[in-house]
Amino acid sequence: MKFTIGWLKDHLDTKFKDNQIIEKLTDVGLEVESFEKVSSDLDNFKVAKIINADQHPNADKLKVCVVDIGQQNTIKVVCGAPNAKKDLLTVYAGPGSVIPKNNMKLTVSKIRGVTSYGMLCSESELNLSDESEGITELKSNEYSDKVGKNFFKNNTEKVIDLSITPNRPDCLGVRGVARDLAAAGVGKLKNISNIKIKNSGPQKIKVSITKDKNQGCTIFGSCLIKDVTNKESPKWLKDKIISLGQKPISAIVDITNYVMLDLNRPLHAYDADKIDKEIIVRNSKKGETFEALDNKEYKLDNDMCVISDKSGVLGLGGIIGGTRSGTEFNTKNILLESAYFSPRSIRKTSKLLNIDTDAKFRFERGIDPQSIEIGLDKAAQLITKICGGKVSKFDVQSIRKVKKNKIKFKISLFEKITGFKIKDKEVIKILIDLGFKVSKKKSELELTTPSWRPDITQPIDIVEEIVRIKGYNNIETLEPEKNRIKDTLNKQQKLFHFLQRSVASKGYFETVTWSFTDSKINNLFKENYKEIKIVNPISSDLDVLRNSIFPNLAFYLKKNLDRGFRDISLCEIGPIFKDNKPGEQLTVIGGIKSGKISRLNWNEQNRLVDVFDAKKRYNSDLNRSWI
Amino acid sequence: MSDIKKIKDEILNKLNADLNIESINQIKSELFGKKGKISNSFKNLGSLPTEERKKFASDLNFVKDELQEKINKKIQEIEIKEINSKLQNEKVDVTLPERNIVQGKIHPVSQVIDELSSIFSEIGFSVEEGPDVENEHYNFTALNTPDNHPARDMHDTFYLDDKKELLLRTHTSPVQVRTMLKGKPPFKIIAPGRTYRSDSDQTHAPMFHQVEGLHIDKNVNMGHLKGCLTYFIKSFFEVDKIKMRFRPSHFPFTEPSAEVDIGYELKDGKIVIGEGDRWLEILGCGMVHPNVLKNVKINLDNYQGYAFGIGIDRLAMLKYGINDLRAFFETDYRWLNHFGFDPLDVPSNYRGLSR
């Protein structure tokens, strides 16, 4: 989960410094993986000023520009743009930069005999617009004091990367993170007002959810937005999308992505004119196909949750949309979807088809079923603001009521588990800040859990919420008692320990090798045991569990001989397997020796390892181990 | 009488020469042998008159004693001289190569397991074991990992049958379940052993080692958990002071859950444990989830407790400065020789863990 401090402050009123926020995130259980600038190729693009633009000596349509890029020396760039002229503020890309539009990497090059250091870029080359006639013209009142600075300024904002545990889908949205921080005392969570958008007229496309077996979709909210002009996103929105390492596509797509990252509310936009009459949410039939937005064609099985119209499948609900109904720059009318899909259904379908998308990741962990209309509202507001258009009333179909989850919580459980006490008042405040509805009855709290927390189902979950927000540093460190109720090792474990060190003390290097091995080598040693295949081995030469301790020892002995070592003694103590059931294993110790017992030197004769060395080892150890 | 004197003078003369042991033995037998000069003189004793006999006998005895003493002295002299000359001439060249003694080695993982056993033994834990091959129930379901949990993906688990019933355990936690099912509380165990995940790259091996800890008793709370692990980490790294951080996390089988970080700094590219501003994740732990306790039929009103899981290979890497996890399992003779331990270097409480 990535976001910037600036984005966090859209939801959180705080005076805390960046590093304090970072620390607090980890303290409440939102582990910060990194907090750094996303170094991107875009850092190479600088605001520049043309000092002089002279005619190229050898080409009529080229100019040789002397450019100020905020460094001590100006540089020379050959440029073909008709609008390149003295005093123009524009965007300069140095050698090594990669042009966003065509991924071309710039080098220092000679153009008709004049050396050019980099390039002045058009808006089209920067993916800012389709404008490719001439280089970008920056307004002098905005940029005149920014010569030499990075052009893509938001890229330099540091990005927080959180590792969100699978129980916290709510924190896959910036608002969820802000809420946790506010509860922990880092400022105040800003209100998001209720539905603000002015709706007019009904949503004319009929939506129905069929009552199929294990229907994966239980709520489907939508609104129609008519007469929009889809375009490139404004800079602030692009910057937000880019800062997270994603690629801006179009205003409508960027807005749906933005709302998903902001509120953890996935949305989908359809080109309404491409929908054949109505929307039917149903289970798929085996053999149905559709082309998804990743440009792959998927063949569906029975009972996958699909969004369809009269002509067929439009998309896989909560996983991926289809190309047939996708929005494009010329899209005029859109249908916006905000739905709830069950984690189980999402997981099953995405696994069968092997699709991984951002939406799938979120629905699989559990989306707030109460965020349907808030999501539609926020997206519709942004779309009308940027693309214009008129919004219909929200249509919400649902086949099941959202149940409120209530928990009775004895406050004393907190101390019983954590070993320390906090005031009832503080317990209640933390829970309210996290979004619980609380009513107190003597020493018990009656709680209604927030709809965005599918992970909270029982009293122990409440203990965890309170203690993580209060801080684990409040838990006392109790000295362990030093009394023993049972021997540390049993008889077999003592034997294990003895054999291991006894064999090693006779010149063997103890090794640890995989419990699996190559079936080809294993077959030489397995005797009467059954071959135990691994269904998904890490590689084809580690495909079975070992039936003997020797396959790996022999394999690694050879490897060492190949490395040029002589006179090697290896041993291993560990499991071998008789069958693929729990408990069908033996612990054995095996040794292997190769080369010469002694090499010719001033006082000894050469002697090869022979069977009598093995015999001695075998006898002396077994005698001493009471077998 | 003059005969005696003659013998005496003659012998004394001979003894003054530079003699060796053989020639002196010859002189000895010349005098005291069966037909030696002194013996013969004694034989003549009977033929002498009685008055002479007494004096002759006394003189002869006197000379005999005198010569014997001289000879013994001379023998001693020669022996000392011989020893001295031997010492002079027979020096040992200790710079010659030594005889080849092959020293066996104990693998670092085994050594660390013995260190762990020693540390936890001190505070009353005993060692339990469980099978490497597990079924889906003990590895996941009984540990409150629902069947749609991401950890169950093929990506992470080695399966031994197509129905995904049988697998190689992905952690040592199933030993918790087996231990609690076969006994009655209180429980205070550690369970070191092999664990498996189908993951293989620079920092992951398809097989690695974990130690599980479980303490269930009346009134065992998070304070005890914190105390136990603080004691463990200090003992293991053999330091008095160590920066530690308990931070909230999530595991299906514990709640509340925590991950423990220890402080470290980088000195000349090497990790130094203890102080410093950087944090290193070292283990996961928490209070055993009520669902797990219910699954093994433990009465929640009377018993509760904590569990933890620690990566043994990682501990070994940190303590003994080993950089590459993969090398643990590659059986390179040089590596085993360098990082292995003397088999007689057994970690113990009274001596300390490491040398």
Side-chain angles (χ1 to χ4, degrees), chain A residues 336-347:
Chain A
L336 203 58
E337 163 200 312
S338 176
Y340 180 82
F341 299 96
S342 88
R344 188 171 287 266
S345 148
I346 293 284
R347 185 168 163 76

Side-chain angles (χ1 to χ4, degrees), chain A residues 352-474:
Chain A
L352 280 170
L353 298 175
N354 196 19
I355 314 179
D356 196 2
T357 63
D358 217 339
K360 168 247 159 190
F361 186 83
R362 291 156 194 272
F363 277 116
E364 190 183 20
R365 282 160 174 74
I367 288 296
D368 181 0
Q370 309 268 40
S371 68
I372 306 279
E373 294 183 64
I374 295 168
L376 286 177
D377 178 59
K378 180 141 190 174
Q381 276 183 54
L382 285 167
I383 289 173
T384 49
K385 200 163 143 195
I386 295 165
C387 308
K390 270 184 202 149
V391 183
S392 76
K393 283 193 176 126
F394 295 165
D395 174 88
V396 180
Q397 300 295 321
S398 88
I399 57 164
R400 207 176 302 149
K401 267 198 172 165
V402 179
K403 267 193 253 158
K404 281 185 180 165
N405 182 19
K406 293 195 170 180
I407 297 173
K408 282 186 179 157
F409 180 67
K410 275 192 194 133
I411 300 178
S412 59
L413 183 66
F414 179 81
E415 191 187 353
K416 188 173 173 237
I417 296 290
T418 63
F420 74 100
K421 214 177 166 155
I422 63 174
K423 284 186 184 136
D424 291 3
K425 229 170 68 184
E426 203 177 349
V427 169
I428 291 167
K429 182 175 183 324
I430 288 173
L431 292 174
I432 287 174
D433 285 349
L434 288 173
F436 287 83
K437 292 206 172 65
V438 184
S439 71
K440 191 177 180 220
K441 287 187 178 141
K442 289 182 188 164
S443 61
E444 197 171 86
L445 300 180
E446 258 188 38
L447 305 169
T448 307
T449 65
S451 55
W452 54 83
R453 293 296 303 270
D455 59 311
I456 294 179
T457 58
Q458 52 178 302
I460 196 74
D461 301 325
I462 307 297
V463 174
E464 180 172 61
E465 289 306 299
I466 303 165
V467 70
R468 76 179 175 87
I469 295 296
K470 179 72 186 164
Y472 276 18
N473 55 339
N474 290 294

